[in-house]
Structures are given as C-alpha cells and as structure tokens.
Amino acid sequence: MFYLFFLSLWVAGMFLLGILVEVMVRVNLKDQPEVGSLIMNKIMDVYNVHIIYTCIGVMLAAELVKFLVRKYSRAGLQQKVVTKRRYTREVVLAIMIVLAIYMGSFLRPEMHEVDKLKKASPADQKLQIQFDRFHSKFTWIYSVNMILGLTLFYIHGKEMVRFREISYDEP
C-alpha cells in the first residue's frame, strides 16, 4: 500500500513538475527569465532531492518488508509473477532509482553551476548551449523514468487483477 502511494507521488510529481509547472513558469514569466529560472530551480531541488529520495526510501523499505515476510513468515506468501521474467518489477524499480539518483545528485548540481555561470555572463553562447544540453538530458531521463513508473503501475495492476479472489457463487 505504501509502495503504491509513494510510486504514485513520484510519477505524478514528475508529470506535474515536468509538464505543468515548467510550462506555466515559462509562459507566465517569459519576460522575467531570471525569476522563472530561480523558481524552477528551487521547486526542482525540493522535488528531485527530498521528495523523490523519500519515495525511494519508503519503496525500498516496503520491498524489504515484503521480502522478509515472504522469507520468514509461516503464512507461505508467494511472489506474484505476472511478467515473463521473474524480477522485472524489481529491475524496473532499480533503473528508476539509479536514474533518479543520477539526476538529483549529479546532473542537477552541474546544471545549477552552468546556470550560475550563464547568468553571470549572458552573452556567452557556449554556456547557453551547455545548459540546453543538460536540460535536454534531464528532460530525457525524466521521460524515461515516467515511462518506467507507468510500467510499474501496469505490472501492479496485472498482479491485482490476476490474483484477486473470484467467487463463482454469485449469479
């Protein structure tokens, strides 16, 4: 339950910030690019570090608890496998985590540094090109993570539908 809640927070936040907030800031603050840049940087810092890392922590804790219950519980819980490969869900989550950590801990600080240099000398086209490349890379990785998050929702949906209890007594 916590796993799906935090997955939805993660994926919905990527859609909200990556699409809606960025477009709104660009449209409404196109006359004030410095203010728009400052707002987007602050929002993305909070989301890409604090919120996503919290989601990752809770999701990993939920997976660990599920693993421990399966391994040591007497209830005999079994892994629900609805994909062709046994650990598809875990691999998709691992890729999402690696990409999120790369974006939050490595790419984001580099973008901030280039953005500061770009603001210090706005006439330097090399800095603008470098920033645009970072932004393009960030957007591409965000898109991949959104697709992977939707893939996890699909897998969980298949698990819920496939393994639900069906009563044949009802007309």
Side-chain angles (χ1 to χ4, degrees):
M1 185 71 116
F2 285 117
Y3 180 95
L4 287 176
F5 174 74
F6 281 94
L7 177 62
S8 65
L9 182 63
W10 186 356
V11 173
M14 286 189 290
F15 277 109
L16 179 69
L17 295 177
I19 296 171
L20 185 63
V21 172
E22 185 169 355
V23 170
M24 292 300 294
V25 167
R26 284 186 185 210
V27 168
N28 291 327
L29 296 174
K30 63 182 171 187
D31 298 334
Q32 303 170 347
E34 303 294 323
V35 174
S37 175
L38 180 68
I39 290 171
M40 281 307 298
N41 284 342
K42 290 200 181 285
I43 290 172
M44 295 305 270
D45 285 350
V46 169
Y47 180 73
N48 285 321
V49 176
H50 302 293
I51 294 175
I52 288 181
Y53 288 1
T54 301
C55 291
I56 289 170
V58 171
M59 291 170 69
L60 287 176
E63 285 293 312
L64 179 65
V65 167
K66 198 177 342 178
F67 171 76
L68 292 174
V69 166
R70 257 194 322 268
K71 186 162 178 89
Y72 297 110
S73 173
R74 296 180 193 264
L77 297 175
Q78 294 178 351
Q79 175 78 19
K80 298 175 182 178
V81 179
V82 295
T83 57
K84 291 183 181 187
R85 305 268 187 239
R86 182 176 173 90
Y87 295 106
T88 302
R89 185 167 50 91
E90 291 81 3
V91 169
V92 170
L93 178 61
I95 293 169
M96 283 183 70
I97 290 170
V98 168
L99 291 176
I101 291 172
Y102 172 70
M103 286 188 311
S105 298
F106 299 103
L107 189 58
R108 184 188 52 81
E110 289 178 17
M111 281 181 67
H112 284 324
E113 189 61 38
V114 172
D115 193 36
K116 285 179 190 175
L117 293 172
K118 183 181 74 159
K119 288 176 184 174
S121 58
D124 191 352
Q125 288 298 318
K126 289 181 182 179
L127 291 173
Q128 181 63 44
I129 291 169
Q130 187 177 10
F131 181 80
D132 290 342
R133 284 185 183 151
F134 278 135
H135 188 268
S136 175
K137 189 178 200 179
F138 202 87
T139 304
W140 185 84
I141 294 171
Y142 237 60
S143 300
V144 169
N145 250 2
M146 282 189 252
I147 291 167
L148 291 173
L150 293 174
T151 302
L152 283 178
F153 278 122
Y154 177 73
I155 292 169
H156 280 286
K158 280 180 71 173
E159 287 174 355
M160 285 185 242
V161 170
R162 188 171 190 185
F163 292 101
R164 68 181 178 179
E165 293 293 323
I166 299 174
S167 174
Y168 293 104
D169 298 334
E170 298 175 13

